[in-house]
Amino acid sequence: MTTNQATGTTTGPAAGTAAAAGPLRLFLALDAAVTGANGLIYLLAAGPVGRLLDVDSAFLRATGAFLAVYGVLVAVLAARPVPSAAATKAVIEVNVLWAVAGIAALVLGWLEPSTAGLVWIPLQALVVAAFAALQLGALRKAHG
C-alpha cells in the first residue's frame, strides 16, 4: 500500500474500493439526513424553536439555511461510490468545528439559551462530534 503525499490518497488492494467505503458512505449519509432535517426545522420553524431554546429566530434561520445546504452537499458526497478523502476530511473538520463552537457559545456566553437550549446545544454538539469520530474511523478504513 502506498500513499500519494500530494493528495493524501492511499492506493492498494482495499484502498478506495466501494466495499471498503460502505461504512463511510453510511456515516456521511446519516450525517446528511440529521443535518438536513435539523436545518429545515431551524429554517421553517425558527420562531417556535427560537422561543423554546431562547435563541434569536433570525440566527436560527441563517443557521438552518447553512445546515440545509451543508446537508445536501454531504448527501452528494455520500452518494459517491468512493467518497473523496479530501472532501470527507473537510466534512470531519466542519463537524469538529461545529461541535466546539456549540460548546464555546455556551461557555463564553455567546448564547444565553433557556434550559431546553442548555440541554439541546451540548447534545447537538455531542452528536456532531460522534459523526466526526465515526467518519474519521471509516475514512481510515476506506482510504488506508
Side-chain angles (χ1 to χ4, degrees), residues 40-96:
L40 288 176
I41 290 168
Y42 287 174
L43 189 59
L44 301 175
V49 173
R51 287 188 294 279
L52 174 66
L53 302 178
D54 198 14
V55 175
D56 181 66
S57 61
F59 174 76
L60 284 178
R61 269 189 218 90
T63 301
F66 167 78
L67 292 175
V69 170
Y70 181 70
V72 169
L73 294 174
V74 175
V76 168
L77 179 62
R80 297 181 52 96
V82 180
S84 154
T88 300
K89 287 176 187 176
V91 168
I92 293 166
E93 290 168 358
V94 169
N95 282 346
V96 169

Side-chain angles (χ1 to χ4, degrees), residues 3-137:
T3 301
N4 179 327
Q5 297 300 319
T7 64
T9 58
T10 304
T11 59
T17 67
L24 177 58
R25 293 180 67 224
L26 173 65
F27 297 139
L28 288 168
L30 289 171
D31 186 358
V34 169
T35 300
N38 199 31
L40 288 176
I41 290 168
Y42 287 174
L43 189 59
L44 301 175
V49 173
R51 287 188 294 279
L52 174 66
L53 302 178
D54 198 14
V55 175
D56 181 66
S57 61
F59 174 76
L60 284 178
R61 269 189 218 90
T63 301
F66 167 78
L67 292 175
V69 170
Y70 181 70
V72 169
L73 294 174
V74 175
V76 168
L77 179 62
R80 297 181 52 96
V82 180
S84 154
T88 300
K89 287 176 187 176
V91 168
I92 293 166
E93 290 168 358
V94 169
N95 282 346
V96 169
L97 180 62
W98 185 271
V100 169
I103 299 304
L106 296 178
V107 171
L108 299 174
W110 299 337
L111 295 175
E112 295 180 8
S114 65
T115 301
L118 286 172
V119 171
W120 175 250
I121 293 168
L123 279 176
Q124 183 179 356
L126 181 64
V127 168
V128 173
F131 276 131
L134 291 168
Q135 291 160 351
L136 181 61

